[in-house]
Amino acid sequence: MTRITISGNKPLSGEVKISGAKNSAVALVPMAILSKGKTVIYNVPEISDIEYLIKIMELLNCKVEHKNDALYIDSTNVMNKPIPEELSVQMRASYYFMGILLARFGRVEISFPGGCNIGARPIDIHIKGFEELGAHVEIIKNRYIITANKLIGKKIYFDFPSVGATINVMFAAIGAEGTTVIENAAMEPEIVNVASFLINMGAKIRGAGTKRIEIEGKCPLGESVIEVFPDRIESGTYIIIGAALGENLKIKGIIKEHIEALLIKLKEIGVHYEIDGDTLTISRCNKLKPTKIKTLAFPGFPTDLQQPITALLTQANGKSMIEETIYENRFKNTIELNKMGADTKILSDHKLEINGPVKLKGTDVVATDLRGGASLLIAALIADGISHIDNSEYILRGYGDLINKLKNVGAKIEITE
Ligand code: UD1
């Protein structure tokens, strides 16, 4: 168990540099298997999901070299093998091996993916997409065996714009004959990052970042290079921290268009910030207004920032309301926040009320999931006194070099195993 200890209520100044996006990197790394040669991925974040992905890549006979923030991958001699449960359950993104191995080998055997416990999280849209392209899917206990003698491109309509399913079906479509069209595709920036890597390899893809994506299959894919986009959720988390404790805190490496929904919301509640190129400068706001937030698929307010912003809204003057439309079990963090003095009420699986302002007090809490853990971290930074956050390994899954980044700007933070 990993414990983070924070002595809170310290002003934060200096500069935080944003790392590469977790949710892009976890798709880009396994995707190197689609290239019949060498690939380089720059700006890879230092997070545990990447370490587990590298273990799976090595199991499949890929050569992976890690130098600074770059991964050099040679998948010339890649071999198809079943992916064991002890590796696949370490993260949600192991599901990308389904589309990738299906496209390259016509067969994949893998256990059900892991990831944070924030709702039911089925993968039926992925499976339906593979089946529509001609794959046969067999589920034995929690093992998926997906096979296809031949994949054939087709028009697929998603009932929901799932990020994972959009990327996974794009991968499978790379191995299909003819053109695949995904209607009601997710539009998150990570999908654009993935499509760019595929296009750099030689794929023909149109429309990534819109609701309709077209993929021409069976293009030969070769050597390629890509840079992981900066992490919009990490950016948002540090911006929220800056709104609570910043003294001209600089967040470097942001892409404004990726975090617009958060920036507009922060302006609305009275936070001041300035953007110059890729750097946002922010200072604490002493009189925050309450607000209403509804999480939505991109470009709406991201569900992954819902829990972090809840910690900030405990400091707003009045009642804030959150409507979580993506997941049905994403308020578990508020039980821990209340132990620190927050006044939040779960009204239903999808609705949360936050009353403020309250004086948060350092205490012992337990991280329930990655972004829920981030909300406790923010609350502990705001709180008077000392907080211990147990199960902090969840938080480290999404925030590379977290402790150093916060120490460097003045936080009193330590980590113990
Ligand atoms: C990705 C992100 C996660 C983020 C989420 C929404 C990765 C590795 N993770 O997760 O951080 O919170 O997008 O922005 O990129 N659903 C189904 N059936 C499916 C697929 C999804 O019902 O086959 C439902 C899910 O249960 C959830 C919603 O659709 O309620 C959103 O899921 P999705 O967009 O697929 O999220 P992930 O790709 O799992």
Side-chain angles (χ1 to χ4, degrees), residues 246-278:
E247 275 186 7
N248 288 320
L249 182 68
K250 290 190 187 308
I251 325 283
K252 186 169 170 51
I254 61 152
I255 297 180
K256 183 172 168 260
E257 293 70 25
H258 292 180
I259 48 171
E260 210 108 58
L262 171 72
L263 294 179
I264 290 168
K265 201 38 85 177
L266 289 178
K267 266 228 163 102
E268 189 187 304
I269 65 174
V271 176
H272 296 284
Y273 55 82
E274 274 168 28
I275 299 178
D276 183 11
D278 74 345

Side-chain angles (χ1 to χ4, degrees), residues 36-311:
K36 295 202 167 87
K38 294 178 180 168
T39 45
V40 187
I41 307 172
Y42 293 105
N43 201 26
V44 177
E46 271 180 56
I47 51 172
S48 56
D49 282 15
I50 298 294
E51 287 164 29
Y52 285 114
L53 283 173
I54 292 175
K55 282 189 186 154
I56 300 178
M57 299 291 280
E58 287 173 342
L59 174 88
L60 300 176
N61 215 32
C62 293
K63 283 196 193 124
V64 186
E65 216 184 316
H66 207 160
K67 265 194 234 156
N68 303 321
D69 69 354
L71 279 188
Y72 296 77
I73 305 175
D74 185 349
S75 41
T76 316
N77 299 316
V78 62
M79 284 160 68
N80 195 11
K81 292 184 193 167
I83 297 173
E85 185 168 7
E86 64 266 26
L87 289 175
S88 69
V89 295
Q90 299 296 339
M91 82 213 99
R92 183 125 186 104
S94 51
Y95 54 34
Y96 289 134
F97 286 99
M98 291 179 168
I100 289 165
L101 294 176
L102 189 61
R104 180 134 184 197
F105 295 105
R107 185 178 205 281
V108 53
E109 196 177 327
I110 187 168
S111 295
F112 195 82
C116 287
N117 181 10
I118 49 174
R121 307 190 86 182
I123 55 166
D124 55 306
I125 304 171
H126 306 231
I127 299 300
K128 198 168 147 208
F130 299 147
E131 285 174 336
E132 293 213 39
L133 295 178
H136 173 73
V137 182
E138 199 182 347
I139 306 169
I140 304 171
K141 291 196 180 154
N142 67 339
R143 274 193 94 62
Y144 286 76
I145 301 163
I146 310 174
T147 47
N149 290 332
K150 197 181 192 179
L151 294 166
I152 298 179
K154 131 168 226 216
K155 188 165 181 167
I156 296 171
Y157 178 84
F158 281 171
D159 293 331
F160 179 85
S162 153
V163 176
T166 300
I167 293 177
N168 230 345
V169 173
M170 251 166 66
F171 287 151
I174 289 291
E177 282 176 14
T179 305
T180 299
V181 179
I182 305 174
E183 293 281 7
N184 199 27
M187 301 195 288
E188 270 70 0
E190 291 74 27
I191 288 148
V192 178
N193 214 177
V194 166
S196 303
F197 196 22
L198 285 169
I199 292 165
N200 292 351
M201 285 182 185
K204 291 201 177 115
I205 299 176
R206 287 175 291 277
T210 73
K211 288 217 149 300
R212 184 179 200 272
I213 304 178
E214 270 183 46
I215 307 114
E216 275 179 44
K218 294 280 183 197
C219 295
L221 303 188
E223 300 194 346
S224 179
V225 171
I226 192 79
E227 182 164 341
V228 182
F229 279 168
D231 196 309
R232 63 197 170 94
I233 306 302
E234 189 197 17
S235 306
T237 304
Y238 283 109
I239 292 170
I240 290 168
I241 290 172
L245 296 152
E247 275 186 7
N248 288 320
L249 182 68
K250 290 190 187 308
I251 325 283
K252 186 169 170 51
I254 61 152
I255 297 180
K256 183 172 168 260
E257 293 70 25
H258 292 180
I259 48 171
E260 210 108 58
L262 171 72
L263 294 179
I264 290 168
K265 201 38 85 177
L266 289 178
K267 266 228 163 102
E268 189 187 304
I269 65 174
V271 176
H272 296 284
Y273 55 82
E274 274 168 28
I275 299 178
D276 183 11
D278 74 345
T279 303
L280 180 143
T281 306
I282 190 162
S283 291
R284 76 187 293 165
C285 172
N286 292 326
K287 230 176 173 344
L288 289 173
K289 288 181 250 172
T291 189
K292 284 187 184 156
I293 291 177
K294 183 172 181 174
T295 65
L296 290 166
F298 189 83
F301 193 95
T303 170
D304 286 355
L305 287 176
Q306 176 267 107
Q307 291 162 303
I309 205 167
T310 296

